[in-house]
Amino acid sequence: MDMSPDKNPGNVSNESLESLFQYFGNIMPLKEIERDELRSMMRERTIRRRQYILQEGDVCKAYTYVVSGCFRMFGVDQKGTENNLQFAPENNWIADIGSFFSEKPSKLFIEAIEPCLVLQIEKKDLLHLYINHHKFDRYFRVIIENKYVELQNRVLQNISSTAEERYTAFIEQYPNLSNRLPSTQIASYLGVTPEFLSKVRKSLSSKR
Amino acid sequence: MDMSPDKNPGNVSNESLESLFQYFGNIMPLKEIERDELRSMMRERTIRRRQYILQEGDVCKAYTYVVSGCFRMFGVDQKGTENNLQFAPENNWIADIGSFFSEKPSKLFIEAIEPCLVLQIEKKDLLHLYINHHKFDRYFRVIIENKYVELQNRVLQNISSTAEERYTAFIEQYPNLSNRLPSTQIASYLGVTPEFLSKVRKSLSSKR
DNA sequence: CGCTAGTCTTAAACTTGTTTAAGGGTACTT
DNA sequence: AAGTACCCTTAAACAAGTTTAAGACTAGCG
């Protein structure tokens, strides 16, 4: 177990905590004691561009809340191609949920696309929260329910839409990201080659 | 609120209940009181082939456990094409989770592909279970976590694999269903036309 | 400064999957 | 026994997306 210098509790910046409290506050208001619990459990880390917080073969040990920056989660297929499964910009949670709960090695990578500031919580602490503050059960169920619905819509899109339709849907869903991310990353998310995405963009711009 | 004849509790068959108890028992053992609670909350229904248990525009009011038979869940796109999102054969839960929790109208249909026997639980009863028997919180979180992982793998496959690879993966995952279901349904699940699936099958069989 | 690595675009040849149309098979109706 | 509905396959023309290759345009780096 690694002992980074910012592991000891109490070192979490107020800015990061405020971001997290506001996130939860949008679901339901937090009591003072719940804020204190979160403060003592969350560990703050800065992550450099290109740095991994999860690599294939490792067990996903933490849920990560993104305060600023952006991550991508991807898998690598037989041919060695990277396929982006999701992006996690600021105010989002990211984890390989399967690996986290089963404690089996992950088949996925999570990499910072931009320099990032995050808050992490480990499994034992999350379970502690579940048990001692029943509300967090609901919080995290809501989080995963929302992520489930998002994924489901994506599957539906993948099997029913052309690359062009998927791209315009991506732009609508992440107006931020479409400017911020390199097109190679977006192409990998959409399941097309960067070359074809370039074609799609051109044909879209000429349509207006 | 509809009052079908089998709504009153106590009418649930032992065979169905045993199937449900066994399902939960695979996650963690059930206490007698928990069995009693389930017995009193689950409502048994027989569903005819082609019958819908959810239609677009309706709010998904119940979680459905499939005792026997098989359902499909699908969405209809702008062109009117049906796209199968998932199948639910015996010993599976099915619901539009997004609609169920948000109580907003669903964009999906759930239809019986075969004659089915199901047990259903309504939202208020599920919430009652959550509150009075904390264990069910965990049960249903595990159920949705597993479904999430399944979906995630599917997205990964959709963006990284050819139709042939997706078809062979489908056969591995549902060896039952590949014989049982009409190929039109499988094609709709894979996101290809029935004609192309026919080609794929032919090219696969000639490879051996 | 010049070098390298990453990013974006274009184009031509190719592969994967769709569309349209047709024909044959089975099974349930009448 | 014929009728209809559904299911599965084949084939040819077409559209969607990939591959390979090349050129231009950054941005970071020694």
XYZ file of all heavy atoms in Angstrom, chain D:
616
model
P -55.369 -32.054 -49.570
O -55.313 -32.915 -50.694
O -54.264 -31.263 -49.185
O -56.707 -31.191 -49.508
C -57.434 -30.646 -50.600
C -57.389 -29.143 -50.486
O -57.509 -28.765 -49.097
C -56.071 -28.547 -50.992
O -56.351 -27.537 -51.945
C -55.392 -27.970 -49.759
C -56.560 -27.763 -48.798
N -56.185 -27.943 -47.381
C -55.448 -28.948 -46.836
N -55.276 -28.838 -45.544
C -55.953 -27.685 -45.221
C -56.147 -27.010 -44.012
N -55.663 -27.450 -42.838
N -56.880 -25.885 -44.039
C -57.362 -25.459 -45.198
N -57.246 -26.004 -46.405
C -56.516 -27.123 -46.350
P -55.203 -26.888 -52.853
O -55.463 -27.141 -54.283
O -53.894 -27.238 -52.252
O -55.504 -25.357 -52.565
C -56.839 -24.910 -52.327
C -56.751 -23.713 -51.404
O -56.428 -24.162 -50.071
C -55.680 -22.697 -51.807
O -56.291 -21.417 -51.865
C -54.614 -22.817 -50.723
C -55.446 -23.289 -49.532
N -54.712 -24.032 -48.501
C -53.864 -25.095 -48.667
N -53.367 -25.549 -47.539
C -53.931 -24.732 -46.573
C -53.800 -24.702 -45.167
N -53.043 -25.550 -44.474
N -54.500 -23.748 -44.503
C -55.256 -22.897 -45.207
N -55.463 -22.827 -46.525
C -54.755 -23.777 -47.152
P -55.441 -20.063 -52.061
O -56.248 -19.090 -52.806
O -54.095 -20.453 -52.537
O -55.321 -19.545 -50.561
C -56.512 -19.309 -49.791
C -56.135 -18.493 -48.568
O -55.496 -19.359 -47.609
C -55.147 -17.356 -48.870
O -55.545 -16.205 -48.129
C -53.802 -17.889 -48.403
C -54.192 -18.869 -47.300
N -53.317 -20.035 -47.194
C -52.849 -20.819 -48.221
N -52.092 -21.800 -47.813
C -52.060 -21.649 -46.433
C -51.396 -22.420 -45.449
O -50.692 -23.420 -45.603
N -51.625 -21.923 -44.171
C -52.399 -20.835 -43.872
N -52.499 -20.498 -42.591
N -53.019 -20.099 -44.786
C -52.801 -20.569 -46.040
P -54.872 -14.737 -48.453
O -55.971 -13.745 -48.470
O -53.944 -14.875 -49.591
O -54.027 -14.487 -47.141
C -54.623 -14.728 -45.866
C -53.532 -14.846 -44.818
O -52.869 -16.124 -44.921
C -52.411 -13.794 -44.945
O -52.232 -13.221 -43.673
C -51.191 -14.607 -45.381
C -51.499 -15.930 -44.702
N -50.780 -17.136 -45.209
C -50.261 -18.028 -44.300
O -50.365 -17.880 -43.098
N -49.612 -19.108 -44.849
C -49.441 -19.374 -46.193
O -48.861 -20.376 -46.569
C -50.006 -18.399 -47.100
C -49.872 -18.596 -48.577
C -50.633 -17.335 -46.569
P -51.638 -11.727 -43.474
O -52.773 -10.848 -43.119
O -50.755 -11.408 -44.613
O -50.733 -11.906 -42.175
C -51.058 -12.913 -41.205
C -49.777 -13.530 -40.672
O -49.380 -14.635 -41.510
C -48.584 -12.553 -40.650
O -48.050 -12.561 -39.348
C -47.612 -13.126 -41.674
C -47.972 -14.596 -41.644
N -47.629 -15.347 -42.853
C -47.851 -15.000 -44.148
N -47.430 -15.887 -45.026
C -46.902 -16.886 -44.240
C -46.290 -18.120 -44.550
N -46.113 -18.556 -45.803
N -45.868 -18.885 -43.521
C -46.039 -18.445 -42.266
N -46.601 -17.311 -41.844
C -47.014 -16.571 -42.893
P -46.919 -11.482 -38.888
O -47.343 -10.965 -37.580
O -46.662 -10.575 -40.039
O -45.628 -12.384 -38.668
C -45.743 -13.622 -37.976
C -44.577 -14.505 -38.362
O -44.735 -14.966 -39.716
C -43.212 -13.802 -38.326
O -42.383 -14.533 -37.453
C -42.726 -13.872 -39.769
C -43.451 -15.125 -40.253
N -43.558 -15.293 -41.728
C -43.133 -16.505 -42.291
O -42.684 -17.396 -41.551
N -43.231 -16.692 -43.643
C -43.724 -15.712 -44.408
N -43.790 -15.954 -45.726
C -44.155 -14.473 -43.853
C -44.056 -14.304 -42.520
P -40.987 -13.930 -36.845
O -41.108 -13.924 -35.380
O -40.665 -12.687 -37.582
O -39.942 -15.056 -37.258
C -40.377 -16.366 -37.595
C -39.417 -16.974 -38.590
O -39.920 -16.792 -39.934
C -38.010 -16.382 -38.592
O -37.096 -17.437 -38.323
C -37.839 -15.798 -39.981
C -38.826 -16.634 -40.787
N -39.327 -16.029 -42.047
C -39.213 -16.766 -43.238
O -38.690 -17.891 -43.209
N -39.681 -16.229 -44.399
C -40.239 -15.019 -44.379
N -40.690 -14.540 -45.543
C -40.378 -14.258 -43.178
C -39.906 -14.796 -42.040
P -35.551 -17.139 -38.033
O -35.074 -18.139 -37.041
O -35.401 -15.701 -37.788
O -34.869 -17.489 -39.422
C -34.824 -18.830 -39.876
C -34.292 -18.817 -41.274
O -35.213 -18.076 -42.102
C -32.949 -18.115 -41.438
O -31.965 -19.095 -41.723
C -33.153 -17.122 -42.589
C -34.484 -17.568 -43.190
N -35.289 -16.475 -43.812
C -35.610 -16.556 -45.164
O -35.215 -17.537 -45.811
N -36.344 -15.571 -45.733
C -36.744 -14.540 -45.006
N -37.470 -13.593 -45.612
C -36.435 -14.428 -43.612
C -35.702 -15.414 -43.059
P -30.445 -18.670 -42.066
O -29.574 -19.833 -41.804
O -30.188 -17.366 -41.443
O -30.498 -18.468 -43.642
C -30.866 -19.570 -44.466
C -30.907 -19.114 -45.907
O -31.904 -18.083 -46.037
C -29.605 -18.516 -46.430
O -29.103 -19.382 -47.430
C -29.997 -17.138 -46.985
C -31.512 -17.240 -47.099
N -32.270 -15.975 -46.920
C -32.938 -15.455 -47.993
O -32.936 -15.974 -49.103
N -33.634 -14.282 -47.735
C -33.710 -13.617 -46.524
O -34.361 -12.596 -46.420
C -32.981 -14.223 -45.430
C -33.005 -13.588 -44.084
C -32.305 -15.355 -45.676
P -27.636 -19.185 -48.029
O -27.161 -20.523 -48.441
O -26.888 -18.360 -47.077
O -27.860 -18.311 -49.353
C -28.740 -18.784 -50.357
C -28.880 -17.739 -51.447
O -29.788 -16.715 -51.002
C -27.593 -17.032 -51.858
O -27.308 -17.365 -53.209
C -27.875 -15.545 -51.662
C -29.392 -15.495 -51.564
N -29.954 -14.447 -50.663
C -30.902 -13.585 -51.149
O -31.307 -13.611 -52.300
N -31.368 -12.672 -50.238
C -30.979 -12.546 -48.906
O -31.465 -11.690 -48.184
C -29.973 -13.483 -48.456
C -29.482 -13.437 -47.047
C -29.520 -14.383 -49.347
P -25.951 -16.904 -53.951
O -25.688 -17.948 -54.975
O -24.916 -16.573 -52.946
O -26.377 -15.569 -54.680
C -27.660 -15.455 -55.319
C -27.825 -14.042 -55.846
O -28.535 -13.241 -54.846
C -26.507 -13.316 -56.101
O -26.625 -12.582 -57.311
C -26.375 -12.384 -54.908
C -27.833 -12.036 -54.644
N -28.110 -11.579 -53.286
C -27.528 -11.997 -52.123
N -27.993 -11.390 -51.053
C -28.937 -10.514 -51.551
C -29.794 -9.581 -50.925
N -29.829 -9.364 -49.606
N -30.621 -8.866 -51.719
C -30.590 -9.069 -53.035
N -29.839 -9.924 -53.741
C -29.029 -10.615 -52.926
P -25.311 -12.045 -58.101
O -25.196 -12.815 -59.360
O -24.186 -11.981 -57.152
O -25.735 -10.556 -58.470
C -27.104 -10.257 -58.804
C -27.315 -8.764 -58.662
O -27.645 -8.458 -57.282
C -26.083 -7.920 -59.006
O -26.498 -6.711 -59.622
C -25.449 -7.681 -57.635
C -26.703 -7.522 -56.774
N -26.510 -7.802 -55.359
C -25.600 -8.648 -54.771
N -25.677 -8.686 -53.465
C -26.711 -7.810 -53.181
C -27.292 -7.402 -51.958
N -26.899 -7.837 -50.772
N -28.296 -6.516 -52.029
C -28.691 -6.063 -53.223
N -28.227 -6.369 -54.429
C -27.230 -7.256 -54.336
P -25.428 -5.608 -60.119
O -25.756 -5.289 -61.520
O -24.058 -6.007 -59.718
O -25.854 -4.345 -59.227
C -27.216 -3.903 -59.270
C -27.388 -2.788 -58.262
O -27.210 -3.322 -56.919
C -26.371 -1.653 -58.395
O -27.030 -0.431 -58.091
C -25.313 -2.013 -57.352
C -26.195 -2.591 -56.256
N -25.533 -3.507 -55.334
C -24.551 -4.439 -55.604
N -24.161 -5.114 -54.552
C -24.935 -4.601 -53.523
C -24.996 -4.895 -52.146
N -24.254 -5.815 -51.551
N -25.878 -4.192 -51.400
C -26.629 -3.259 -52.009
N -26.672 -2.897 -53.286
C -25.782 -3.612 -53.991
P -26.254 0.989 -58.191
O -27.199 1.975 -58.735
O -24.937 0.754 -58.806
O -26.044 1.339 -56.651
C -27.197 1.418 -55.798
C -26.712 1.504 -54.369
O -26.011 0.302 -54.028
C -25.735 2.642 -54.084
O -26.407 3.609 -53.301
C -24.566 1.986 -53.359
C -25.142 0.633 -52.972
N -24.157 -0.478 -52.829
C -24.025 -1.107 -51.589
O -24.721 -0.720 -50.645
N -23.139 -2.115 -51.453
C -22.407 -2.501 -52.493
N -21.563 -3.513 -52.307
C -22.535 -1.885 -53.766
C -23.405 -0.887 -53.887
P -25.696 5.024 -52.916
O -26.724 6.082 -52.982
O -24.421 5.144 -53.665
O -25.343 4.792 -51.384
C -26.362 4.370 -50.488
C -25.728 4.143 -49.131
O -24.875 2.984 -49.199
C -24.853 5.292 -48.634
O -25.160 5.480 -47.264
C -23.427 4.800 -48.882
C -23.586 3.303 -48.710
N -22.654 2.474 -49.472
C -22.328 2.571 -50.793
N -21.468 1.664 -51.195
C -21.223 0.920 -50.056
C -20.400 -0.195 -49.802
N -19.643 -0.775 -50.738
N -20.387 -0.690 -48.556
C -21.145 -0.102 -47.620
N -21.951 0.938 -47.728
C -21.946 1.408 -48.985
P -24.426 6.571 -46.392
O -25.444 7.188 -45.530
O -23.543 7.406 -47.251
O -23.499 5.657 -45.475
C -24.062 4.509 -44.853
C -22.991 3.863 -44.008
O -22.095 3.128 -44.876
C -22.137 4.830 -43.213
O -21.948 4.242 -41.947
C -20.847 4.925 -44.026
C -20.763 3.542 -44.656
N -20.127 3.452 -45.957
C -20.306 4.279 -47.025
N -19.628 3.924 -48.097
C -18.960 2.777 -47.686
C -18.079 1.914 -48.368
N -17.711 2.086 -49.632
N -17.586 0.866 -47.674
C -17.972 0.688 -46.404
N -18.803 1.444 -45.661
C -19.260 2.470 -46.379
P -21.116 4.976 -40.797
O -21.616 4.468 -39.506
O -21.104 6.420 -41.083
O -19.649 4.397 -41.014
C -19.319 3.132 -40.436
C -17.935 2.730 -40.870
O -17.844 2.825 -42.304
C -16.791 3.589 -40.318
O -15.931 2.760 -39.560
C -16.138 4.172 -41.564
C -16.507 3.122 -42.620
N -16.422 3.602 -43.990
C -17.022 4.710 -44.543
N -16.734 4.882 -45.808
C -15.886 3.827 -46.110
C -15.244 3.478 -47.331
O -15.297 4.058 -48.416
N -14.475 2.324 -47.194
C -14.341 1.594 -46.034
N -13.560 0.516 -46.086
N -14.939 1.903 -44.890
C -15.683 3.026 -44.994
P -14.443 3.101 -39.160
O -14.183 2.391 -37.895
O -14.225 4.539 -39.266
O -13.597 2.357 -40.295
C -13.744 0.957 -40.416
C -12.556 0.360 -41.141
O -12.534 0.820 -42.511
C -11.185 0.699 -40.562
O -10.405 -0.497 -40.688
C -10.681 1.823 -41.468
C -11.287 1.422 -42.806
N -11.613 2.534 -43.751
C -11.155 2.467 -45.038
O -10.475 1.546 -45.447
N -11.527 3.521 -45.840
C -12.302 4.602 -45.492
O -12.572 5.479 -46.301
C -12.759 4.617 -44.114
C -13.610 5.731 -43.632
C -12.394 3.596 -43.320
P -8.965 -0.616 -39.987
O -8.903 -2.004 -39.494
O -8.769 0.543 -39.089
O -7.935 -0.473 -41.180
C -8.113 -1.255 -42.347
C -7.172 -0.783 -43.429
O -7.733 0.381 -44.078
C -5.773 -0.380 -42.948
O -4.860 -1.199 -43.659
C -5.652 1.106 -43.309
C -6.688 1.264 -44.402
N -7.372 2.583 -44.555
C -7.514 3.129 -45.804
O -7.070 2.597 -46.812
N -8.200 4.321 -45.846
C -8.742 4.998 -44.780
O -9.331 6.059 -44.942
C -8.562 4.376 -43.491
C -9.121 5.033 -42.269
C -7.896 3.211 -43.432
P -3.324 -1.329 -43.271
O -2.969 -2.724 -43.593
O -3.101 -0.776 -41.925
O -2.575 -0.386 -44.313
C -2.946 -0.428 -45.694
C -2.437 0.795 -46.410
O -3.395 1.864 -46.278
C -1.098 1.350 -45.899
O -0.196 1.366 -46.990
C -1.436 2.745 -45.387
C -2.696 3.077 -46.193
N -3.639 4.049 -45.588
C -4.339 4.902 -46.420
O -4.217 4.897 -47.621
N -5.187 5.763 -45.771
C -5.405 5.857 -44.408
O -6.192 6.671 -43.949
C -4.648 4.937 -43.596
C -4.809 4.959 -42.125
C -3.806 4.084 -44.218
P 1.381 1.733 -46.794
O 2.126 0.808 -47.681
O 1.740 1.836 -45.360
O 1.427 3.187 -47.436
C 0.562 3.506 -48.537
C 0.544 5.005 -48.727
O -0.579 5.578 -48.004
C 1.794 5.725 -48.201
O 2.302 6.580 -49.215
C 1.290 6.502 -47.005
C -0.143 6.794 -47.432
N -1.050 7.166 -46.344
C -1.112 6.645 -45.081
N -2.030 7.205 -44.317
C -2.600 8.161 -45.150
C -3.630 9.096 -44.941
N -4.288 9.214 -43.796
N -3.952 9.901 -45.974
C -3.292 9.779 -47.131
N -2.310 8.930 -47.442
C -2.011 8.150 -46.394
P 3.783 7.224 -49.094
O 4.537 6.714 -50.246
O 4.290 7.069 -47.718
O 3.491 8.768 -49.334
C 2.386 9.169 -50.158
C 1.854 10.473 -49.651
O 0.999 10.236 -48.511
C 2.939 11.451 -49.167
O 2.991 12.570 -50.042
C 2.501 11.835 -47.755
C 1.050 11.402 -47.710
N 0.553 11.076 -46.380
C 1.075 10.183 -45.478
N 0.410 10.118 -44.344
C -0.616 11.035 -44.518
C -1.671 11.442 -43.669
N -1.856 10.961 -42.448
N -2.517 12.382 -44.152
C -2.319 12.868 -45.379
N -1.373 12.565 -46.270
C -0.541 11.636 -45.764
P 4.095 13.708 -49.832
O 4.501 14.123 -51.179
O 5.094 13.234 -48.842
O 3.268 14.884 -49.166
C 2.094 15.396 -49.794
C 1.466 16.420 -48.878
O 0.911 15.725 -47.727
C 2.476 17.439 -48.328
O 1.911 18.735 -48.368
C 2.704 16.968 -46.904
C 1.358 16.373 -46.553
N 1.395 15.401 -45.467
C 2.334 14.405 -45.273
N 2.102 13.704 -44.191
C 0.953 14.265 -43.647
C 0.241 13.933 -42.471
O 0.475 13.036 -41.658
N -0.865 14.762 -42.285
C -1.223 15.785 -43.133
N -2.303 16.489 -42.794
N -0.562 16.114 -44.231
C 0.509 15.311 -44.421
P 2.791 20.016 -47.987
O 2.746 20.924 -49.158
O 4.087 19.590 -47.403
O 1.938 20.663 -46.820
C 0.531 20.894 -46.958
C 0.001 21.285 -45.593
O 0.012 20.101 -44.747
C 0.873 22.329 -44.880
O 0.055 23.297 -44.258
C 1.669 21.511 -43.883
C 0.667 20.417 -43.535
N 1.270 19.200 -43.005
C 2.362 18.523 -43.487
N 2.679 17.457 -42.789
C 1.728 17.432 -41.781
C 1.517 16.545 -40.697
N 2.267 15.476 -40.461
N 0.480 16.807 -39.876
C -0.274 17.887 -40.117
N -0.177 18.787 -41.094
C 0.854 18.493 -41.900
P 0.616 24.561 -43.500
O 0.801 25.639 -44.464
O 1.766 24.127 -42.644
O -0.603 24.940 -42.529
C -1.445 23.930 -41.992
C -1.150 23.663 -40.512
O -0.437 22.416 -40.355
C -0.297 24.721 -39.782
O -1.101 25.329 -38.793
C 0.876 23.919 -39.202
C 0.316 22.506 -39.165
N 1.328 21.396 -39.172
C 1.306 20.446 -38.145
O 0.453 20.541 -37.235
N 2.219 19.433 -38.153
C 3.121 19.364 -39.139
N 3.987 18.356 -39.102
C 3.166 20.318 -40.199
C 2.265 21.306 -40.172
P -0.657 26.472 -37.813
O -1.782 26.582 -36.871
O -0.207 27.615 -38.605
O 0.600 25.955 -37.002
C 0.697 26.246 -35.603
C 0.235 25.062 -34.798
O 0.688 23.843 -35.434
C 0.812 25.068 -33.391
O -0.188 25.419 -32.467
C 1.324 23.660 -33.151
C 1.138 22.923 -34.474
N 2.352 22.265 -35.022
C 2.850 21.160 -34.403
O 2.380 20.678 -33.398
N 3.954 20.606 -35.009
C 4.586 21.036 -36.159
O 5.570 20.459 -36.615
C 4.011 22.211 -36.757
C 4.617 22.784 -38.008
C 2.947 22.765 -36.167
P 0.235 26.024 -31.047
O -1.014 26.266 -30.292
O 1.190 27.131 -31.288
O 1.052 24.848 -30.345
C 0.393 23.658 -29.920
C 1.398 22.843 -29.126
O 2.333 22.235 -30.048
C 2.224 23.700 -28.159
O 2.399 22.980 -26.954
C 3.532 23.915 -28.906
C 3.655 22.615 -29.696
N 4.426 22.724 -30.937
C 4.438 23.757 -31.831
N 5.232 23.570 -32.864
C 5.780 22.319 -32.629
C 6.708 21.537 -33.346
N 7.251 21.917 -34.499
N 7.043 20.338 -32.832
C 6.495 19.957 -31.676
N 5.606 20.600 -30.908
C 5.293 21.787 -31.453
P 3.106 23.632 -25.703
O 2.188 23.526 -24.546
O 3.649 24.954 -26.106
O 4.327 22.638 -25.445
C 4.063 21.254 -25.217
C 5.339 20.458 -25.415
O 5.829 20.657 -26.758
C 6.476 20.870 -24.473
O 7.125 19.688 -24.022
C 7.377 21.741 -25.358
C 7.182 21.059 -26.720
N 7.441 21.902 -27.869
C 6.888 23.145 -28.157
N 7.303 23.654 -29.280
C 8.166 22.699 -29.787
C 8.919 22.685 -30.986
O 8.966 23.544 -31.871
N 9.674 21.532 -31.117
C 9.693 20.505 -30.202
N 10.473 19.466 -30.499
N 8.997 20.503 -29.076
C 8.261 21.620 -28.936
P 8.263 19.704 -22.955
O 8.149 18.481 -22.148
O 8.239 21.048 -22.316
O 9.569 19.601 -23.839
C 9.719 18.512 -24.763
C 11.135 18.522 -25.307
O 11.170 19.349 -26.489
C 12.157 19.098 -24.315
O 13.343 18.329 -24.384
C 12.380 20.508 -24.834
C 12.224 20.293 -26.336
N 11.835 21.519 -27.090
C 12.311 21.699 -28.382
O 13.054 20.856 -28.891
N 11.947 22.831 -29.062
C 11.144 23.721 -28.501
N 10.808 24.791 -29.212
C 10.635 23.556 -27.173
C 11.005 22.447 -26.520
P 14.417 18.391 -23.231
O 14.338 17.153 -22.447
O 14.265 19.711 -22.580
O 15.798 18.379 -24.036
C 16.074 17.357 -24.975
C 17.111 17.856 -25.958
O 16.530 18.934 -26.733
C 18.358 18.424 -25.277
O 19.515 18.031 -26.010
C 18.176 19.929 -25.363
C 17.338 20.095 -26.622
N 16.435 21.259 -26.558
C 15.620 21.616 -25.500
N 14.929 22.690 -25.728
C 15.298 23.067 -27.030
C 14.878 24.161 -27.816
O 14.060 25.035 -27.540
N 15.512 24.176 -29.053
C 16.426 23.231 -29.476
N 16.918 23.394 -30.685
N 16.828 22.200 -28.749
C 16.223 22.189 -27.532
